[in-house]
Amino acid sequence: MLRHLFRHVPAAGMLLFFATGASADPLPSWNDTAAKARVISFVEAVTDPASEMYVTPAARIATFDNDGTLWAEQPLYFQLFYAVDTVARMAKDDPSILTTDARKAAAKGDVQAVMAGGNAALLDVLALSHAGQSVEDFQAGVAMWLETARHPTTGLRYDQMVYQPMLELLRYLRDEDFDTYIVSGGGIHFMRVFAEEAYGIPPEHVIGSSIVTSYDVTGATPVIQKEAELFFNDDKEGKPLAIDRHIGRRPIMAGGNSDGDFQMLEWTTAGEGARLGLYVHHTDANREWAYDRDGHIGVLKRGLDEAEDRGWLVIDMAKDWAKIFPVAPQ
């Protein structure tokens, strides 16, 4: 099949692109490695009408995980920081809400204690901070939090901790008539607050996990109300299911950073024609964090074991990226 032929094009051959100087560098924050060459070769192949791997613009779908792929995710998912900060703020106004150990820990800003409580504690804090309000009110709270909150290690705004090389990749793809989507385990309403400004991805192209919502007409204006019950977990096999439900086309390109993205890459690259699956591998302990097989976030085991045989590209952040964040940590 053509996609198998493409996967095994020698890196030296792909690097010829850089020797031609035929066009401006679309990925200036990427080092001139085989990873960059392969991405550019793939995009050029599927967008050139004379290429046997040409893909029509309507079918140029690219999907990306968010946490750990488009922005950082250490030491905890940023949405959990939001939840803890929100519970702490709510407790100041109404201490009576502190009815569980998890809520009391969150009110103190003790994220580690919340994590130690397991899934039940996490769900308790997430439900309190996310449910019982309209989507509009929830998203207004997220926007306000993004304006004021700062990452505990870098001192940056959370929406400044996006990956510059991935911003360039998203822009490059859209310049070549790709439709770019977020398909992430993060909350759909949470990510829709910042995705357009941060990534150029509009809300309708954001797919994520969600809780049950209801239509409420008891007030003067109808609202969509968020309830305290999980509706859909957009992780693992949930990702291809969500892509099918929301997009209706199999992507030709998919990117992630953990085993939670495995099924999305698997389903994407199982299609006919040219395909590209890629992993962002966190290898840079100096400029970001180094982690893969062990840990509580972004675990990458099966993906590393099978990427080569499946023809997936593994991006080494330390070697392949000249820059990590658009803004230097403070």
Side-chain angles (χ1 to χ4, degrees), residues 20 53 126 167 216 240 322:
T20 65
M53 292 184 286
L126 287 169
L167 296 181
D216 187 354

Side-chain angles (χ1 to χ4, degrees), residues 155-174:
L156 296 175
R157 286 173 51 122
Y158 287 95
D159 54 1
Q160 290 178 317
M161 293 184 63
V162 295
Y163 298 134
Q164 179 64 28
M166 296 304 287
L167 296 181
E168 293 168 3
L169 177 57
L170 291 171
R171 187 183 308 115
Y172 176 39
L173 293 173
R174 288 192 292 267

Side-chain angles (χ1 to χ4, degrees), residues 27 48 165 182 251 312:
L27 303 174
D48 180 2
I182 291 175
W312 297 347

